[in-house]
Amino acid sequence: MTAPTTPVAQTPAPGADAMRLLGLDAVRALAIAAVLAYHLNVPGLFNAGFLGVDVFFNLSGFLITSLLLREYFSHGQVDVGRYFWRRFVRLMPAVVALLLVTYALVPLLLPGAVRRLISDLPWAAAYLANWWQICSAQSYFENFGHPPLLRHLWSLGVEMQFYLLWPWLLLGLLRLRGVAAVGWTSLLLALASTGWMGSLFALYPDNPSRAYLGADSHSVGLFLGSAMACLWSPLHPAALIRRSMAGWLRLALGSAALISLGALMWFSNEAQPLLYHGGFLATSLASIFLLVCCADLGLSNRSPWLWRLTGPLVQWVGTRSYSIYLWHWPIFIYLKGDNTPDLATVAKCLIWTALASEISYRWVESSLAFTTRRWSAVIQRRAGYAMFGALLLGGFSAVSIFPCQSTTAPVAVTKGATPPIQTDPSGPPDPAQTGASAPEIAKAVMAPDSHILAIGDSVMLGARHRMLRTLPGITVDAEVGRQPRQSVTLVQRYLEQKPELKHAVVHVGTNGYILKSDLRRLLTALQEAQQVVLINNFADRRWSDANNQTLAQIAPEFSNVRIMDWHKLAQGNRHYFVQDGVHLSSEGITAFIRGIASSLGMEPVELPPNRPLLSRAAPDPVKTSTVLAPVPAPAGAATLTSTLPPAAMPSQPDPAPVLPSVGPDTAAPLQEPSPAGAAPEVELQPPKDTP
């Protein structure tokens, strides 16, 4: 067998600690392009673009293990101190620059994000962002409002934790059993991580973030890359396979891997259980084969013509992929928030990301790495161990000084209690202050005389007070960031205490995909109810159209289910919404409630114009999950949960906050045809006035 003749950069780029395989820049470019497309939030474009991070994990495992094996077989040992220093110099300066710039500019540009930034900063600096997001119950897939500016640093935490532990294990295996032992151990760890991810997803099905963010459950790509480095790598002489791949085989295998990887990124989404039960393993396998096939690519005349044509641009993106990853997320959040951008906004996001990345690459990453390479081996070794100790100390300090606490404290409000007041009922709650993505579900409490259960997310949460005042006998359970799958467990808990439930209203899907299997489970649990109203979505999100199609397809399978076509009513009525175009204004709340009432075959109670105020207790920012039963009326008056029909109810004033109104903007809802085969829909009319 002959050694491969793989094209490598003759002069290492500043900041590189090994000869650079030019073809791997194509893999890096593909990975970062998928991540950018996903974070731009364009419907239908790389719905699973987050899998690009797993491609980076493969690259990291492959390259780091190759470098460690090369050093071991070239010098008979691994200088762990110098290895640490090379990793720190390569990764940390750009992260420090990002944290400093973000800390300096956010109070000026995004003052509402300061509180979350301060809580995230120590953990990000200690490369523990992934564990902080897990224990503070943050969701990686929640994108409303202004998502956390340092959310994307979770992947750097996973990689750094691998970098710190892997050389010790690899060195021990090499001394005991050689390269084959490293390869088999890596493969077994990859399979173990895959199994553990599936177990965690089964344990926490309502929120996949624990399975996704954990270094224990999401390291399959790192270990598969390490296994491939033992099997085949042009960067060290001890690979088990040293033969170059035939051109036809490289083309066939690379094309199959690219098509498979593209299909996974295009057709998958974060809510699919199959993704957590082997989907990430399939992604890593496809990207590993693509990595092997691309490693041999150069810019010679024998290279494919498409690669020769696009090679320079692909190399530019590949060499700056780390900087692009660091800077794109806060730039995207500032320029577009959580909205789906138009073409001009996309262009601005990409241009500013390219500029910031180029500055970071040239004057932060490259300059410092190039300077410290001239240091003696002794100084580098001491500096590496010093940084290793500093990172451990920083991690312990972050854990002790900034204790990891869930920012959510679910609160249940039942009959006879006063619900918390939202100071701006027409706007969405602030997830940055609420920590609303917690996987926990508040205790299900339903008043004995309540016969309507309403389950929703932050859209319904903004309307909850007026729903309680105007819809007799209703219990409202709404939470910021609620994922569709959570509603299944929640409804089952309510049915345990009230199996004779008459009516249910469900409005989920604002925050993520509705799976057909989950929707069928939900409606099967509610099949004994007299009527179930499903409210479809009006939100500028990649999953909204898919969710509405799912509702229209599944609802006809159940005789007691009908759809309230909120998407149809909201078309052309911009004044129904606050600035984000999703959460409800005062007029939107009125239209929303009238639609629910019409679907249930009832009329909302019209209250007198002069209503006493509830006591204005300052809202607790950590209380976000709210289970609301009807608000009690004054002593001697009938409650809103009375079984009397609305017309017969006494007109006693009911305690309620005064709600601000929002002036109208545009008019006339558009009439759109209903999907074929859809369930019966309620014809809704825009409200003439606002109660």
Side-chain angles (χ1 to χ4, degrees):
M1 292 186 295
T2 59
T5 56
T6 302
V8 295
Q10 296 302 317
T11 303
D17 50 10
M19 294 183 293
R20 191 177 190 90
L21 297 175
L22 299 180
L24 295 188
D25 285 331
V27 182
R28 294 185 181 93
L30 172 65
I32 195 61
V35 172
L36 293 179
Y38 177 73
H39 286 160
L40 281 171
N41 196 31
V42 178
L45 182 63
F46 285 107
N47 291 329
F50 55 85
L51 294 175
V53 173
D54 291 83
V55 179
F56 282 120
F57 285 172
N58 282 136
L59 284 164
S60 296
F62 177 78
L63 292 174
I64 290 302
T65 303
S66 295
L67 298 178
L68 290 171
L69 291 175
R70 185 179 69 178
E71 182 175 356
Y72 181 81
F73 286 101
S74 298
H75 302 91
Q77 62 178 359
V78 174
D79 193 333
V80 178
R82 295 186 67 191
Y83 158 82
F84 283 148
W85 179 246
R86 292 193 299 268
R87 289 295 88 207
F88 293 142
V89 169
R90 174 69 183 92
L91 301 176
M92 292 189 72
V95 173
V96 172
L98 174 71
L99 298 181
L100 292 176
V101 171
T102 305
Y103 183 77
L105 294 182
V106 164
L108 302 175
L109 302 179
L110 289 173
V114 171
R115 180 174 179 177
R116 173 61 65 84
L117 176 66
I118 292 176
S119 65
D120 292 348
L121 200 60
W123 298 84
Y127 285 90
L128 294 173
N130 58 321
W131 294 111
W132 162 244
Q133 291 177 35
I134 289 171
C135 67
S136 60
Q138 298 182 35
S139 171
Y140 176 76
F141 303 108
E142 180 189 325
N143 289 312
F144 270 103
H146 285 290
L149 293 168
L150 303 180
R151 172 185 288 175
H152 63 311
L153 298 187
W154 74 272
S155 63
L156 272 66
V158 173
E159 288 198 359
M160 182 59 75
Q161 291 150 34
F162 171 79
Y163 293 155
L164 296 182
L165 297 176
W166 181 236
W168 308 105
L169 178 59
L170 178 140
L171 195 56
L173 290 171
L174 283 175
R175 290 173 176 172
L176 289 175
R177 296 291 181 178
V179 175
V182 177
W184 282 110
T185 302
S186 300
L187 184 60
L188 291 175
L189 289 173
L191 295 175
S193 179
T194 299
W196 182 232
M197 172 180 277
S199 300
L200 287 173
F201 183 81
L203 189 61
Y204 303 105
D206 294 336
N207 191 331
S209 293
R210 169 61 185 93
Y212 184 78
L213 297 172
D216 53 344
S217 53
H218 202 160
S219 55
V220 54
L222 291 163
F223 288 120
L224 268 185
S226 299
M228 179 54 71
C230 297
L231 182 64
W232 177 91
S233 175
L235 292 176
H236 69 88
L240 301 178
I241 297 177
R242 306 178 194 179
R243 187 185 300 275
S244 295
M245 190 181 300
W248 66 269
L249 180 59
R250 181 190 300 118
L251 180 61
L253 188 60
S255 299
L258 183 61
I259 292 172
S260 301
L261 196 58
L264 285 166
M265 292 179 177
W266 193 272
F267 295 108
S268 302
N269 64 67
E270 65 269 14
Q272 292 177 344
L274 189 61
L275 194 63
Y276 302 88
H277 294 283
F280 285 100
L281 176 63
T283 301
S284 298
L285 287 172
S287 61
I288 275 293
F289 286 120
L290 183 64
L291 180 156
V292 171
C293 295
C294 289
D296 282 343
L297 287 177
L299 292 177
S300 66
N301 294 331
R302 294 178 298 173
S303 302
W305 68 269
L306 183 60
W307 169 245
R308 296 200 306 269
L309 182 64
T310 60
L313 176 62
V314 170
Q315 279 190 271
W316 185 91
V317 175
T319 53
R320 288 146 180 83
S321 57
Y322 177 61
S323 296
I324 293 173
Y325 183 82
L326 287 180
W327 291 95
H328 85 280
W329 178 251
I331 290 174
F332 283 14
I333 296 303
Y334 173 66
L335 292 178
K336 75 176 191 65
D338 64 333
N339 299 315
T340 298
D342 54 22
L343 189 59
T345 304
V346 169
K348 286 194 297 184
C349 289
L350 296 180
I351 290 172
W352 279 106
T353 298
L355 289 174
S357 304
E358 183 67 18
I359 293 172
S360 175
Y361 177 77
R362 286 187 177 274
W363 286 286
V364 179
E365 298 175 51
S366 301
S367 59
L368 183 59
F370 183 76
T371 300
T372 58
R373 190 179 291 112
R374 300 177 181 178
W375 294 0
S376 67
V378 174
I379 295 178
Q380 290 186 21
R381 185 180 305 113
R382 291 175 179 175
Y385 282 121
M387 291 300 299
F388 177 76
L391 198 60
L392 293 180
L393 180 61
F396 286 122
S397 299
V399 172
S400 57
I401 300 176
F402 307 96
C404 183
Q405 299 176 357
S406 174
T407 52
T408 300
V411 55
V413 182
T414 58
K415 185 176 179 180
T418 302
I421 302 300
Q422 183 180 334
T423 56
D424 182 10
S426 62
D430 181 9
Q433 296 182 357
T434 62
S437 350
E440 305 172 10
I441 296 179
K443 182 180 179 182
V445 180
M446 197 169 181
D449 53 355
S450 179
H451 56 88
I452 305 172
L453 173 63
I455 301 293
D457 47 38
S458 57
V459 175
M460 185 178 287
L461 184 63
R464 71 191 189 277
H465 290 298
R466 213 183 297 181
M467 290 175 68
L468 291 170
R469 299 202 317 270
T470 58
L471 299 175
I474 194 168
T475 293
V476 179
D477 190 323
E479 182 184 57
V480 176
R482 174 166 286 159
Q483 294 295 323
R485 172 165 287 200
Q486 293 175 312
S487 61
V488 180
T489 306
L490 191 59
V491 165
Q492 291 171 345
R493 293 187 182 184
Y494 276 108
L495 290 175
E496 289 175 0
Q497 60 173 295
K498 199 173 184 69
E500 70 282 3
L501 180 69
K502 294 181 179 180
H503 304 282
V505 178
V506 180
H507 184 213
V508 293
T510 307
N511 301 295
Y513 290 93
I514 300 175
L515 297 182
K516 293 181 180 180
S517 58
D518 290 338
L519 184 58
R520 285 194 177 97
R521 287 173 54 211
L522 174 68
L523 297 181
T524 300
L526 291 169
Q527 61 185 353
E528 298 300 325
Q530 293 180 10
Q531 187 178 27
V532 178
V533 176
L534 297 179
I535 305 175
N536 62 13
N537 300 141
F538 184 85
D540 190 14
R541 297 294 180 271
R542 66 164 59 90
W543 48 77
S544 296
D545 289 341
N547 285 348
N548 291 344
Q549 292 174 10
T550 298
L551 294 174
Q553 291 172 6
I554 303 301
E557 300 177 9
F558 297 85
S559 59
N560 63 336
V561 176
R562 68 191 310 175
I563 294 177
M564 172 185 149
D565 197 349
W566 177 239
H567 183 270
K568 180 179 179 180
L569 176 63
Q571 289 287 343
N573 288 286
R574 180 62 184 85
H575 56 287
Y576 283 1
F577 304 97
V578 294
Q579 186 177 3
D580 64 9
V582 176
H583 297 90
L584 304 175
S585 67
S586 183
E587 289 178 301
I589 291 173
T590 301
F592 190 74
I593 292 175
R594 287 186 174 175
I596 294 174
S598 179
S599 301
L600 294 172
M602 60 186 295
E603 289 292 331
V605 175
E606 300 291 341
L607 298 179
N610 296 323
R611 309 188 286 273
L613 293 174
L614 285 173
S615 57
R616 287 278 182 176
D620 188 343
V622 302
K623 295 181 178 180
T624 60
S625 175
T626 312
V627 182
L628 298 180
V631 180
T639 67
L640 285 181
T641 58
S642 171
T643 56
L644 295 173
M649 299 208 38
S651 59
Q652 295 290 339
D654 189 55
V658 175
L659 302 179
S661 61
V662 177
D665 187 355
T666 56
L670 300 176
Q671 301 299 321
E672 295 184 349
S674 301
E681 296 175 351
V682 180
E683 185 66 28
L684 304 178
Q685 299 297 328
K688 296 180 181 179
D689 56 353
T690 302

